[in-house]
Amino acid sequence: MGTESAAVNFSELVNKNKQTLARLQDSPRLLLHRRDGEDLVLTTAARAEQDQTVVSAATRMLVAMARREPGSMELLLDILPDAFPWVRFLPEPDVHAFAVELVDTMRAADSVGNSASVAQLLIAWQHTAEVYSDPDLLAALTRDHSEDYGPVPDPRDVA
């Protein structure tokens, strides 16, 4: 993933499609900037298949390593802070829970060929770490809120 993607405006693809697509020979991906929507990434089918093969192989190796013997999980726990520095803010039991959930989710996501659940898991755990990193926020979110503040207004009614 160290290779830079070329970037062009989407209109360039529409107006000069042959010249724009020729840029895929020099770059593995083409970032298409759109004025009225989310940017797109264009790549060849062969490149996309290669990327999926690499991700799938890495996932299978990580899962096999983590499940092989108890010492492997300890190794995974030891390397997590290098891969995800924010885990340092999580309590130790949560680091273990994150590791187990990550391995299980990666395995399941690979089985269906869709990594969206892995991305969501990483985002959720990172947000959890952010809460633990801020003592004021952690205190606000973990204090006893026994008082009932009444019904929550429908957000569609707020203008």
Side-chain angles (χ1 to χ4, degrees):
M1 304 254 174
T3 306
E4 290 286 322
S5 294
V8 298
N9 290 327
F10 185 79
S11 59
E12 221 175 298
L13 175 64
V14 174
N15 296 325
K16 302 175 186 174
N17 58 18
K18 286 183 183 178
Q19 298 94 320
T20 305
L21 291 175
R23 295 180 73 172
L24 283 173
Q25 293 175 348
D26 300 326
S27 177
R29 288 166 202 79
L30 191 59
L31 178 62
L32 302 172
H33 296 293
R34 295 190 319 163
R35 197 175 329 139
D36 298 330
E38 186 177 1
D39 289 349
L40 303 174
V41 175
L42 183 64
T43 191
T44 65
R47 171 65 74 165
E49 188 175 328
Q50 288 173 351
D51 290 349
Q52 182 57 41
T53 298
V54 169
V55 169
S56 183
T59 296
R60 288 191 309 270
M61 289 183 344
L62 176 66
V63 169
M65 182 199 79
R67 292 174 182 263
R68 184 144 219 146
E69 57 186 74
S72 298
M73 182 54 85
E74 295 307 314
L75 175 60
L76 179 59
L77 291 170
D78 286 345
I79 65 170
L80 277 178
D82 291 332
F84 307 104
W86 45 261
V87 301
R88 288 177 173 86
F89 296 115
L90 295 173
E92 192 172 323
D94 286 356
V95 175
H96 188 271
F98 166 62
V100 169
E101 192 174 352
L102 178 62
V103 169
D104 290 346
T105 303
M106 289 177 70
R107 182 171 185 252
D110 183 56
S111 74
V112 295
N114 186 335
S115 61
S117 59
V118 177
Q120 181 58 41
L121 174 95
L122 291 170
I123 290 166
W125 274 105
Q126 184 174 2
H127 288 321
T128 301
E130 289 168 2
V131 169
Y132 279 105
S133 75
D134 183 336
D136 294 334
L137 183 58
L138 181 61
L141 293 174
T142 56
R143 79 170 169 255
D144 183 22
H145 295 282
S146 57
E147 183 179 340
D148 185 353
Y149 296 101
V152 176
D154 188 329
R156 295 171 291 193
D157 295 338
V158 178

